[in-house]
Amino acid sequence: MVDLDWKAKMVSPDMSSKSPKLSNKLHLSVPVSARAVQADVSAASSSACSAYENYLRLPELRKLWSCKEFPEWKNESILKPALQALEMTFRFISTTLSDPRPYANRREWKRRLESLTKNQIEVIAMLCEDDEEDDETRGTAPIADTSSTSGILARDGSLAEVWKVYGESSATVVSRTSEGSLLPRLATWQTSEDVAQNIMYSLECEFRRCSYTLGLGEPNLAGKPTLEYDAVCKPSEVHSLKKSPYDHQLESNYESQTVYTTQQILESWIHTAGELLRRVANRIDSRSFEKAASDCYLIERIWKLLAEIEDLYLLMDPDDFLRLKNQLHVKSMDDSEPLCFRSKRLVEITKLCKDLRHKVPYVLGVEVDPKGGPRIQEAVMRLYSEKSESEKIHLLQALQAIESALKRFFYAYKQVLIVVMGSLEAKGNRVVICPDSCDSLSQIFLEPTYFPSLDAAKTFLGNGLNQDHLAGLDRRTRRKQ
């Protein structure tokens, strides 16, 4: 362990008088191994990435994600892959409940997928709320409207009902139920009826603060207009990609369908996160800090969703999964990179999240000291103490929330790998030549904080408040004597 005197090394002699008083006795102990860890996040070999993408039919999925149907709707690229991930989850529920294997854990699969669906709905509802609260995007989402058709509705794949709102002679509401989505069908199947009903009630609750709803069979008690779900999500095109190109070789292994669908859902949310990260960068550059903070918390939730999706591997049958892995020739021991780094988009959003640290000086309105001085740290301490620009505090907190969620994801991913494949396979056979912290996954969650100035500022603030508290106790004790 190494003791570092932060007073001497971090604080300049001309520090502002407004900055909290620091103690000369503050020492931080930092493990040498932790300080030395530097994570190198890079994609796997091109052949491994290509095989992964072909197995999941990612090129075809990307065409669906990037297809622009509504030019005036700026958030289409964010919401479309999220809705398609939700639709894939409906298909996943149908697949698992139809599993012919007598040893499949249908009870737990049903619970996990219902929970995952509800958490996805929560994030989608938040995206829709932000869409409506933003002046630039409010009213641009495609919803059912009769004003341009004189009340005549085209039957373009949805069941439609036209309602008149009581007491408002001019108010017309069009309630649609998607014909392409699988959720209304799941509600009519006895095996999945309870799950589907719970999901519909979740939709009703989560969309209470939004001006429209999805139209997937939820009660819609408020009589709100519905999103053109079939036109946006394109369920039929999503479900046309439900089979892997290798299905003819893996027909005897039902686990292929669960792995295939799990990874498609994961990749859809990774794409959504990537679009949000680009919007965060734009909003920070335009000094829309409160909106950027809201997006950052959404990204944090998506990282948690990704971890929940990966946890589904814990329910897969060990023998069937390992047999599938060998059938697909998936071996982590052949490459130095973890299996998850075969996803180029996962590597990309990981790097984009880490690069958000470069936005901190701009947010604070200060330049980095070329001599390594504590200029940024002092600005952060003043910001935290004065509380005059709360939107900046919200953004800085949200940036650290992303870091925390990102590191938790990779830590959890490593544990999942160990459980489903065994510790030696998960570590790529490196355990025999180097300690645990040498593998790429460990380096990510053992890496020092991405925001050292924010970390140091909180350390000093906490120490200063502690010293003030102790000094106050000492004064009160002397008075009593």
Side-chain angles (χ1 to χ4, degrees), residues 335-377:
D335 297 302
S336 59
E337 303 89 354
L339 292 173
C340 62
F341 287 167
R342 300 187 182 200
S343 169
K344 293 180 180 179
R345 292 287 285 168
L346 179 63
V347 172
E348 180 184 343
I349 67 167
T350 301
K351 291 180 178 179
L352 287 173
C353 286
K354 294 178 69 173
D355 288 345
L356 288 174
R357 57 189 165 185
H358 301 307
K359 298 291 185 181
V360 172
Y362 179 77
V363 172
L364 296 170
V366 297
E367 294 183 0
V368 177
D369 191 336
K371 296 181 179 180
R375 187 182 297 169
I376 297 177
Q377 176 191 322

Side-chain angles (χ1 to χ4, degrees), residues 19 22 61 76 188 210 215 233 260 305 320 343 412 472:
S19 300
L22 305 178
L61 272 177
E76 180 182 2
T188 64
C210 191
C233 179
Y260 178 77
L305 263 184
D320 290 348
S343 169

Side-chain angles (χ1 to χ4, degrees), residues 17-32:
S17 59
K18 293 185 180 181
S19 300
K21 184 178 180 180
L22 305 178
S23 169
N24 291 324
K25 298 181 180 180
L26 179 59
H27 294 269
L28 299 180
S29 296
V30 181
V32 175

Side-chain angles (χ1 to χ4, degrees), residues 157-349:
S158 292
L159 296 174
E161 296 177 353
V162 182
W163 299 350
K164 282 285 186 179
V165 179
Y166 180 75
E168 300 179 24
S169 58
S170 61
T172 302
V173 174
V174 179
S175 179
R176 291 193 171 200
T177 299
S178 167
E179 282 191 351
S181 176
L182 286 180
L183 183 60
R185 302 180 197 180
L186 290 174
T188 64
W189 183 27
Q190 186 176 1
T191 307
S192 59
E193 181 182 4
D194 57 338
V195 179
Q197 290 295 337
N198 287 341
I199 293 171
M200 289 176 179
Y201 292 138
S202 179
L203 275 167
E204 180 74 9
C205 293
E206 294 297 339
F207 274 80
R208 286 186 64 184
R209 290 188 291 267
C210 191
S211 63
Y212 57 86
T213 188
L214 294 186
L216 297 178
E218 63 271 30
N220 193 12
L221 300 177
K224 294 187 290 189
T226 56
L227 183 75
E228 295 278 11
Y229 182 87
D230 289 348
V232 175
C233 179
K234 298 186 179 298
S236 60
E237 295 185 29
V238 171
H239 298 315
S240 69
L241 302 177
K242 67 180 180 180
K243 290 188 177 181
S244 163
Y246 308 119
D247 267 7
H248 64 284
Q249 303 173 13
L250 307 168
E251 289 180 0
S252 60
N253 196 337
Y254 201 83
E255 211 67 87
S256 175
Q257 193 61 43
T258 58
V259 170
Y260 178 77
T261 309
T262 298
Q263 291 301 122
Q264 280 196 336
I265 296 170
L266 184 86
E267 288 292 336
S268 297
W269 278 109
I270 288 173
H271 186 85
T272 296
E275 294 298 315
L276 274 172
L277 282 163
R278 290 183 180 85
R279 192 168 77 176
V280 165
N282 292 333
R283 285 180 165 177
I284 292 177
D285 291 342
S286 62
R287 306 193 69 80
S288 301
F289 297 137
E290 196 64 46
K291 292 178 181 178
S294 179
D295 282 346
C296 286
Y297 281 119
L298 280 168
I299 293 167
E300 178 208 12
R301 286 175 178 269
I302 291 177
W303 276 112
K304 293 178 179 179
L305 263 184
L306 299 182
E308 186 178 0
I309 294 167
E310 290 289 0
D311 280 348
L312 295 176
Y313 279 93
L314 300 175
L315 298 181
M316 296 182 189
D317 179 75
D319 179 69
D320 290 348
F321 174 78
L322 292 174
R323 186 155 45 87
L324 174 67
K325 185 175 75 71
N326 283 291
Q327 288 173 320
L328 294 173
H329 306 290
V330 176
K331 280 188 173 291
S332 61
M333 295 170 68
D334 292 341
D335 297 302
S336 59
E337 303 89 354
L339 292 173
C340 62
F341 287 167
R342 300 187 182 200
S343 169
K344 293 180 180 179
R345 292 287 285 168
L346 179 63
V347 172
E348 180 184 343
I349 67 167

Side-chain angles (χ1 to χ4, degrees), residues 352-478:
L352 287 173
C353 286
K354 294 178 69 173
D355 288 345
L356 288 174
R357 57 189 165 185
H358 301 307
K359 298 291 185 181
V360 172
Y362 179 77
V363 172
L364 296 170
V366 297
E367 294 183 0
V368 177
D369 191 336
K371 296 181 179 180
R375 187 182 297 169
I376 297 177
Q377 176 191 322
E378 293 174 10
V380 175
M381 294 173 72
R382 285 193 294 272
L383 178 68
Y384 288 161
S385 300
E386 296 171 1
K387 299 180 174 63
S388 59
E389 297 177 288
S390 60
E391 69 280 357
K392 291 185 178 181
I393 298 176
H394 297 165
L395 178 55
L396 296 181
Q397 290 288 90
L399 292 175
Q400 289 189 293
I402 289 179
E403 177 189 4
S404 176
L406 183 156
K407 290 182 175 180
R408 282 202 301 270
F409 168 80
F410 284 105
Y411 179 82
Y413 180 79
K414 182 175 181 179
Q415 305 314 307
V416 170
L417 276 185
I418 291 172
V419 170
V420 300
M421 295 195 303
S423 56
L424 186 61
E425 179 80 2
K427 295 171 185 175
N429 210 27
R430 288 183 295 276
V431 69
V432 299
I433 58 174
C434 67
D436 186 66
S437 60
C438 288
D439 68 271
S440 301
L441 290 176
S442 296
Q443 289 177 13
I444 293 175
F445 56 78
L446 291 177
E447 190 177 14
T449 176
Y450 306 153
F451 306 97
S453 296
L454 305 185
D455 179 73
K458 290 179 179 179
T459 302
F460 279 118
L461 280 174
N463 181 75
L465 292 171
N466 183 55
Q467 294 296 325
D468 291 343
H469 176 68
L470 293 176
L473 288 177
D474 185 56
R475 286 194 297 270
R476 286 194 293 271
T477 302
R478 290 179 180 179

